[in-house]
């Protein structure tokens, strides 16, 4: 077995999740083609970086992400920074011949995302955007059912992403509430996840109508102790405006003729990471809620009138990736497992010289949808979404 | 105690539900002001009417609804027919000085509803539209919480009404799929119920954007055995077009500044009478699902960080109307109970000479929203909803 | 159609439930063989009885239950009194040639129950004990699945009946806490319901080991306003001892070789009418919870490894008695509907000259199990349950 | 920060879970006192051991567990073997001065467990038995509520552990079905987990009555490919008897006066890792189900009559160990996280020179309960459980 050297940029929440995945990939997927080596981690200062290296098990540390990009020993660049750094780092890394995995959303704007996709197309390296939720085994099982035709033709796809971690107006103004760093609010941060799931399960979105809200219009400035990668470290008495949305609602039309809706909010008291989707097809329905992420609910028309009902399929060894996770169902899937599968699929693609999905093209397409949503929220009109042509790299008018 | 004579027009599903309520009102609400007497029932033929009278316990029967309206001994006219008869009967009954309760939707069109409301305004009798779901104890409890400020200011109100009884294309073309009888499809039949709940809990809707679909475009003609009041009695090999929607999705803006969404469909395999709403407020959230109608889920911000979560409040004697229903919680609320409470409130209003809600004004306002939804679905544009001014009976432009 | 005259003894909670059923039976089951006529109701005083007659729609009232038993116009005697009157009334009514329906538990003691069964055997009239929960459509559906072999051979049957209406020590000492009236506490009042369900679904119980508890050892004496039929009407400052159990737990062995457990308590805060059972069979499992009584959960081994899971079958027209209830699923089953079905089956038996189950034999067998449970709770030993031989009316030693 | 060297014996499912924990502890708990170093892993052959070392990231490998026990560089011995090796390895390791963590059950028999506890008492090293489920954040939250008195005095504690991974008779005869290796069946393998939770939350168990069953009496012999550490690797056509229980049901009495029940089975189709408990106290109730392990349901009497209901508290940063796990609730707790917390607490104890719970004393006490259960299942009698006196190391008669 060969090893592959990883440079990780960002030692916050995502740095932790990705580090766990790098340690765990061979434990879970064995034998494996490539064993990741945690080579170098970058953080905002030398001290923070050294601390992160000790904590996450990296051999080296640096305060300059460019030294990772420039390091010929590094095979993979992992971008786990706030959004405003994604484009610059990713383009540099791709141009330096690295395989790149980038946290979501791919970028702050559709322009940045387009440039990143162009850079990715110009290489033969593997690029991936970390929409990890589609790798939840139950979500992958939904995909299997859809692909098998088990619920027939999709008529309606509805998804929500509801949170409350910032429903309290006293929650500080972290970078996620600042347009210059984040690009947008709930749209790019969380709606983008369900947009990815919508595309994964129901195909391309061709048109949207949307409204966005910013219910909490100012928040306390973060204390000086806040690190530059965005973790909130307490508030202050000084207030500053929120210049991004904290809620978005849309109706959508799919290229297939299906319709749907998407809703994301940070103001839903009691909802934590409430990623749900419900699909109505001609032959059945599917429901999923990430808060009970081990379970997929599916109803088959074919079950017959006196035995039909939503089945709660509890994912385990018999379901996607299950044989590599835990030996019986309901030992339980956590956030870590979604990241372990994601990392595994990324390394498998590198080993096989094959692309992986979702890639920067998917990240770009999601950005195009985000953009249409934000435009529709301003105009009130149905707004078409250009469709990326993967053959040419050009955008086509919506179908 | 005095009695009050009821004439019921229609002996189908709704006739059954209302008859049950008339027998049960004194059993549940005792002592009571007015004991309803099941005087006369009308059906499409003399035979059907006589059969219905025996079944539902009416003293007399008739094949001519006008004989009920004209009967001076009748105090209450109950309209449980398909939609196309509502306006004619209701206006006649009101003009004859009767108290009137009419099944929902109030009418096929906004014009009919407006005329009915005008007729109602011209009398001092009690008029009611049978949006029974707001009388589910858990829904009334949600109203109580909202009114008490327990969840603060409402930010978002989302509701669904999902069914599958006609998801199968072989389900026959009953009157509910015919525009000339029903007026509209999912919009008037089921969306109208969640529109009523939205108005009850979150206030007036000022603007909508919507899309409607008709996924199943033709259905088998009903067999000759189908009665004129609309019960399906088997299909045939002849097909006829469906000229109403079978699904509707909307985004809505409330006069209060809150936003929301409404979705209704008859194509949701596995969903039966899936009336849900979720409200996000500044101080908490509420969730309800009629499929588990005894329960209201509520989350209070004030509960504190280590004990906060959705409470499943199981309604019983301590909740709205509970002391009159069953002596302990979870003996269980069924459809009948919502109708018993509705009937009781109707008779209490008559006894007290007070109006009851939802009345024909509410039915008219719901029709105005239905109309705006259907218009928006054609134009794709946000469409304002005129607001009924109850003082003048005139429509005002949306706020 | 013929009518049948009913005399009801007891105008409390059960009187209300039964009266509702008598009005509703023809509305729901139509055409019907026998239309019940609410002839006479008995209560503790003339005034109470007259009031009950007006409320529940009876033609006559009396303070003397014997006048009902002696009335040649009465065909059915319905016993809805506290437990201490069951035996005397039932035996008198049977001897007077009446059909008898008696609330559960059949009697205070196994001796009383045996005498009642003997009286029943001596007539050709229909007798029924009102274990209504087995008539919940979802419970009847469980029976259908079991009988069809859909879950194979039963290995384990576990049931609970948890309540909290008297978990508060300040709840008054109603007759349900007095041995001389009730016979026993949680054992006879609620455990007996799940014993009936156990027998219905898993067959005869042959042996038990049990423990009982009385956690709340004294309660406030009821106020003078309490009626003799047992409704609590406020407490007093005087305390009196509780001489019955308020919790019972058992392990059980079935004649079939299956095992199981039963638990009933009145001390479960947050549980209201939490009647649950779970059955593990060689080919599948079933779960039910009356608090969501429209639903039956069933898991079939045969569903295959990647699609197996508990199905939530939402009962409706396609399930037992469903076509007679409401026209689509999830309009909702309440307590009333279980009683309507029970009454219908009772009248159908009378009309057909056939026995109905559960009858006094079932009530007696349940009393034998109650008795073994109470004995085992005293001795700590496994205690065999004699089995009633319906051919001879004699008890056999347990298998 | 110092490091600590770990020797792990066993590279199966548990070896994987523990290895993940060793990598993750510093990532999650930072700064940390001791960073574990994965020094040496032992497996049944040199090849298997070398493979496990590469997979799990150990520096060295061996086919002889004694070389780990004898290695002066090893500080911690981790026993992740089948049960029959626990006692020998643990006693040797303790005598060699190692800190020891041992998978559950502590041993095959009460005698072995007693000897292990004696060896542990004779050292000043840290010993721990891996009852990881009590470290699920929601379970630890239940403990917090109990300790705070939030549900008052415990009256009843009921737990289940239901699985179906071996409900199919064709599942092979792994070591878990062989008494000479496993000691017992469902009793030691899974009931022991809920016994630990029962003791953790409700205190010592003083007496039990039980029944055990072996529904599947023979199983296919495992194929030759089966490794000696017990992973099933396909079956054969040869059958061999199962000599352990596959189901156990008990009633229990606690020293506190509370009562309860425990049930564990491997025959529950559709139940996967269905570890549930429900506690009824004088001031509230708690419910937990590991299949939705992020959630704790709690009902407080104090919430008042119109707002009381089970709260679903979704664990996250505000709950036990939550700040060290993931930054918002509902990213999700998996099996891995329970093991990471367990390992962290073990190393914290070593660093601080303090004991940790559950230790070998807890494992011994659990074995005493297992033993009483097995004895009661034979005799049918209530059986007292001796209580370990931690001061003296002697057993006392049950209270």
């Amino acid at each position: 077995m060969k090893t592959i050297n990883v440079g990780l940029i960002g030692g916050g929440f995502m740095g932790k999740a990705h580090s766990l995945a790098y340690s765990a990939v061979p434990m879970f997927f064995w034998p494996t083609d490539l064993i990741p080596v945690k080579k170098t981690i970058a953080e905002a200062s030398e001290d923070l970086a050294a601390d992160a290296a000790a904590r996450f098990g990296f051999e080296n540390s640096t305060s300059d992400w460019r030294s990772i990009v420039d390091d010929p020993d590094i095979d993979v660049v992992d971008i786990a920074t706030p959004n405003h750094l994604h484009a610059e780092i990713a383009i540099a890394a791709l141009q330096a011949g690295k395989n790149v995995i980038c946290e979501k959303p791919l970028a702050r704007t559709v322009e940045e995302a387009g440039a990143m996709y162009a850079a990715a197309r110009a290489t033969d390296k593997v690029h991936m955007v970390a929409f990890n939720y589609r790798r939840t085994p139950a979500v992958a099982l939904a995909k299997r059912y859809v692909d098998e035709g088990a619920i027939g033709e999709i008529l309606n796809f509805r998804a929500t992403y509801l949170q409350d971690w910032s429903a309290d107006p006293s929650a500080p103004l972290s970078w996620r509430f600042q347009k210059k760093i984040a690009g947008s609010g709930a749209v790019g941060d969380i709606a983008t996840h369900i947009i990815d799931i919508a595309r994964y399960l129901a195909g391309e979105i061709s048109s949207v109508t949307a409204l966005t809200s910013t219910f909490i219009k100012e928040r306390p400035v973060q204390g000086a102790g806040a690190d530059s990668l965005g973790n909130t470290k307490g508030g202050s008495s000084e207030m500053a405006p929120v210049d991004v949305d904290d809620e978005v609602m849309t109706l959508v039309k799919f290229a297939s003729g299906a319709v749907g809706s998407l809703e994301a909010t940070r103001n839903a008291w009691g909802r934590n990471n409430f990623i749900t989707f419900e699909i109505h097809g001609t032959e059945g329905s599917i429901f999923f809620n990430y808060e009970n992420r081990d379970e997929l609910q599916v109803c088959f028309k074919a079950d017959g009138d006196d035995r039909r009902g939503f089945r709660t399929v509890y994912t385990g060894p018999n379901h996607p990736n299950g044989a590599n996770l835990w030996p019986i169902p309901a030992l339980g899937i956590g956030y870590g497992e979604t990241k372990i599968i994601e990392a595994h699929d990324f390394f498998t693609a590198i080993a096989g010289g094959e692309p992986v999905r979702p890639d920067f093209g998917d990240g770009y397409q999601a950005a195009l949808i985000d953009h249409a949503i934000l435009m529709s929220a301003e105009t009130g009109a149905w707004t078409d979404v250009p469709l990326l042509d993967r053959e040419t790299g050009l955008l086509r008018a919506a179908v």
Side-chain angles (χ1 to χ4, degrees), chain A:
Chain A
M1 279 161 292
K2 292 194 285 188
T3 57
I4 183 165
N5 292 333
V6 176
L8 170 62
I9 302 171
F13 156 37
M14 277 303 145
K16 169 177 164 180
H18 291 219
S19 296
L20 178 71
Y22 296 137
S23 291
V25 160
M27 299 182 191
F28 282 72
F29 293 89
W30 189 258
T32 195
D33 297 309
L34 289 170
I35 298 184
V37 175
K38 288 179 288 184
K39 206 70 183 178
T40 306
I41 190 167
E43 252 289 350
S45 72
E46 293 294 334
D47 282 356
L48 284 171
D51 189 71
R55 177 178 181 185
F56 297 124
F58 282 78
E59 297 177 7
N60 311 302
S61 63
T62 177
S63 65
D64 177 13
W65 62 261
R66 287 175 205 279
S67 72
I68 286 178
V69 168
D70 294 340
D71 184 345
D73 280 354
I74 301 277
D75 305 301
V76 163
V77 173
D78 178 343
I79 304 171
T81 67
N83 306 348
H84 65 307
L85 298 174
H86 288 189
E88 185 180 8
I89 297 173
I91 293 169
L94 288 162
Q95 289 175 347
K98 308 303 187 193
N99 301 286
V100 179
I101 180 167
C102 182
E103 265 303 322
K104 46 51 58 184
L106 189 58
R108 287 175 294 186
T109 63
V110 72
E111 292 78 14
E112 283 185 345
M116 292 166 80
Y117 178 61
R121 275 179 64 85
T123 80
D124 60 352
K125 295 298 173 179
V126 174
H127 43 100
M128 188 177 204
V129 58
F131 288 126
N132 59 304
Y133 291 117
R134 66 155 82 175
R135 281 179 160 79
T136 311
V139 178
L141 181 61
K143 173 69 169 165
R144 182 191 289 177
Y145 290 155
V146 169
D147 288 351
E148 290 174 356
I151 62 162
E153 180 190 352
I154 292 178
L155 303 178
N156 190 303
F157 178 94
R158 172 163 39 98
T160 73
Y161 197 147
L162 313 182
Q163 297 189 320
D164 73 358
W165 60 269
S166 59
D168 195 318
S170 71
L173 188 82
S174 82
W175 66 262
R176 291 175 199 269
F177 300 99
Q178 301 177 42
K179 186 172 182 179
K180 69 176 186 290
I181 306 181
S184 64
V187 171
D189 193 30
I190 54 177
T192 200
H193 270 303
I194 53 176
I195 286 168
D196 181 66
I197 293 174
R199 293 181 60 244
Y200 179 57
L201 296 175
E204 293 299 343
I205 290 170
S206 56
S207 188
V208 301
T209 188
L211 61 79
T212 57
S213 310
T214 304
F215 288 115
I216 300 176
K217 297 187 188 338
E218 60 175 19
R219 290 180 178 277
V221 173
Q222 287 200 105
D227 70 74
S228 69
L229 291 171
N231 295 318
T232 59
K233 297 238 176 98
S236 84
S237 59
E238 189 190 347
M239 304 294 281
V242 173
D243 59 0
V244 294
D245 60 287
D246 55 17
E247 176 163 310
V248 56
M249 308 183 75
T250 76
L251 303 182
V252 303
K253 296 176 185 168
F254 290 88
S256 68
V259 295
S261 68
L262 306 172
E263 174 183 354
T265 184
R266 293 163 166 166
N267 298 298
W269 282 110
R271 301 305 187 195
N272 300 290
N273 204 41
F274 197 79
I275 303 169
T276 71
F277 59 82
E278 178 157 335
I279 312 176
H280 303 147
T282 52
E283 301 294 323
S285 299
I286 292 178
F287 177 77
F288 172 79
N289 180 355
Y290 186 83
E291 292 202 1
N292 297 117
R293 78 205 67 82
D294 303 77
E295 302 174 354
L296 188 70
Q297 294 193 39
V298 58
C299 174
F300 299 120
K301 173 187 175 187
D303 273 344
D305 281 348
D306 87 332
R307 303 192 177 198
R308 189 186 301 122
F310 276 89
R311 303 178 184 190
T312 301
V313 179
Y314 207 101
T315 56
N318 294 309
H319 304 105
N321 282 308
N324 291 99
L325 296 171
W326 300 108
I328 62 168
L331 290 172
I333 300 303
Y335 189 75
E337 280 82 351
T338 68
K339 286 295 189 180
I340 294 168
I341 298 168
E342 177 177 270
H344 167 256
D345 291 348
F346 179 60
F347 291 120
T348 299
I350 294 171
E354 295 290 333
V356 71
R357 303 292 293 269
D359 64 7
F360 278 24
D362 294 294
Y364 183 27
Q365 187 68 49
L368 288 161
I369 297 167
D370 287 353
H371 184 67
I373 287 171
L374 293 168
M375 288 208 322
S376 172
E378 281 190 26
T379 65
W382 279 92
T383 303
D384 287 346
V385 181
L387 180 64
L388 176 62
D389 183 331
R390 288 173 161 268
E391 296 297 317
T392 63
L394 302 179
L395 299 181
R396 287 183 290 153
V399 277

